[in-house]
Amino acid sequence: MTTLLQRDIQTWRDIGGLHTAEEIAHQPAIWRALAGILRKEQAALAAFLGDALSNPQQRVILTGAGSSAYVGEIVVDTLNAAWPAQIRAIATTTLLTHHELYLEADAPTLLVSFARSGDSPESLAAVELLRQVVPGARFLNITCNADGKLARQGANDSNTYNLLMPEGSCDRGFAMTSSFSSMLLAALSVLGKDVDLTRLETLAQLGEQALRDWSAPVADLGSTPVQRVVYLGSGPLEALAKEAALKILELTGGRVMAMANTPLGFRHGPKSAVTTESLVILLRSSKPLARQYEDDLLKELQRDSVAQTCLTVGIGGDLSADAPAWPDAWLAPLWLLMAQQYALHQSALLQLRPDNPFAGGIVNRVVQGVTIYGHDQF
């Protein structure tokens, strides 16, 4: 019988988690497919971007809502450090309410939208906002759904480039998994400087190894009840910690509370949330300096003996991979494989249906109930 993340296929189907389990497990294949897409579109993307990233006056805004916003937060500093252009991550949910703080009518602006479905009202409204406020703005849509409104409305616009993620990346499950990692790697590959696309093949191999080596210990960890989960990460991994915490909240229907912080920031108050029914997961940086601070906090938590469990994931961690010393943003998808699996097993432990933990519709796969107000009404 075929086993998938420590359960057989039929069991996942019976408990309503097959889509999510499959979408976590097929990510290495999605990353390989992404490399093929990017090779085919490399020339067209280069022509669309031109020398914009080399222009110090160029504004690049990485945007999305929820998990899609965290994609931008993970990659932004790595990209901004590589180019003269001013690159910022601003969620659509912030852009729509306070656009005057971020947009200038006469500044050349590229809006990079991350969107699984491309149907979220904020994603569509953010594009329309820039069309009105920043004449000549250009748009790069990194999306998993060719039939979404975002992709369709930009299909015949010379100022828009739709970069579609591989087939299978538009998750059927509630939580973003393969959509998240594919959009993240697409952004690093397309907007990064002198990126070698063979890096995606290396990541795919490492991802397959991680899925093999980690599935049993993560399933075991996920079989123990917890009340709170804390994810900690430095630099770009702080945003990864936010995404990992969101996965727990989503897939447990909010029954397991989760929070994210940096190892250094955690001492400044948030540490008070740790109890004997808490799991603390430290996402290890590839940067030796950051790891020194991480090690200090880990030793402190172990001395305190308050948390139920402290676990390290990443370079030199309890769960690790023989990864190159790449920037943290590039390694983030590997460490996320652990967090996604853990959230899935916690959902199953609570006897929820992981593919749709909110059967009552309180929270939806594509956000609903959002009223968009005109920016010039107030």
Side-chain angles (χ1 to χ4, degrees), residues 11 40 50 79 129 157 159 170 179 202-203 220 229 264 267 321 330 341 359:
T11 299
K40 290 179 182 177
L79 299 177
L129 172 66
D157 180 7
N159 284 327
C170 192
S179 57
T202 301
L203 275 172
D220 184 59
V229 178
L264 278 174
R267 292 188 182 93
W330 275 97
Q341 290 179 74

Side-chain angles (χ1 to χ4, degrees), residues 305-316:
S305 298
V306 176
Q308 177 176 298
T309 306
C310 292
L311 180 75
T312 56
V313 180
I315 301 297

Side-chain angles (χ1 to χ4, degrees), residues 263-326:
L264 278 174
F266 191 56
R267 292 188 182 93
H268 292 262
K271 186 184 171 189
S272 58
V274 177
T275 68
T276 55
E277 294 182 294
S278 300
L279 169 64
V280 179
I281 301 176
L282 178 61
L283 303 169
R284 299 273 286 166
S285 174
S286 64
K287 186 177 179 182
L289 174 61
R291 290 204 301 272
Q292 288 184 289
Y293 290 108
E294 294 163 2
D295 288 342
D296 286 348
L297 178 65
L298 182 62
K299 292 173 185 175
E300 182 178 313
L301 290 168
Q302 291 168 340
R303 286 196 305 268
D304 292 342
S305 298
V306 176
Q308 177 176 298
T309 306
C310 292
L311 180 75
T312 56
V313 180
I315 301 297
D318 299 313
L319 297 179
S320 188
D322 189 18
W326 290 343

Side-chain angles (χ1 to χ4, degrees), residues 120-264:
S120 295
E122 297 100 332
S123 293
L124 301 169
V127 171
E128 183 58 31
L129 172 66
L130 262 79
R131 291 190 188 282
Q132 295 178 20
V133 175
V134 187
R138 303 170 77 233
F139 305 91
L140 173 60
N141 299 327
I142 300 180
T143 180
C144 304
N145 186 12
D147 296 322
K149 293 178 182 177
L150 185 69
R152 286 191 284 111
Q153 73 180 15
N156 299 311
D157 180 7
S158 61
N159 284 327
T160 300
Y161 194 106
N162 286 330
L163 178 60
L164 297 173
M165 296 298 93
E167 184 177 355
S169 65
C170 192
D171 312 302
R172 295 161 295 171
F174 176 89
M176 287 178 62
T177 53
S178 59
S179 57
F180 185 94
S181 65
S182 61
M183 291 192 293
L184 189 158
L185 291 173
L188 288 170
S189 299
V190 171
L191 300 173
K193 181 178 282 188
D194 302 324
V195 173
D196 183 353
L197 292 178
T198 61
R199 183 172 284 195
L200 295 178
E201 171 59 31
T202 301
L203 275 172
Q205 293 174 5
L206 291 169
E208 289 168 342
Q209 176 189 335
L211 287 164
R212 287 193 302 268
D213 294 349
W214 300 351
S215 62
V218 174
D220 184 59
L221 184 71
S223 67
T224 302
V226 293
Q227 287 187 349
R228 303 175 187 179
V229 178
V230 178
Y231 278 99
L232 303 173
S234 303
L237 297 186
E238 179 184 4
L240 182 67
K242 294 179 184 179
E243 169 61 12
L246 180 59
K247 291 289 89 74
I248 285 287
L249 286 171
E250 290 178 331
L251 290 181
T252 66
R255 297 188 195 182
V256 176
M257 295 305 296
M259 62 184 296
N261 211 299
T262 64
L264 278 174

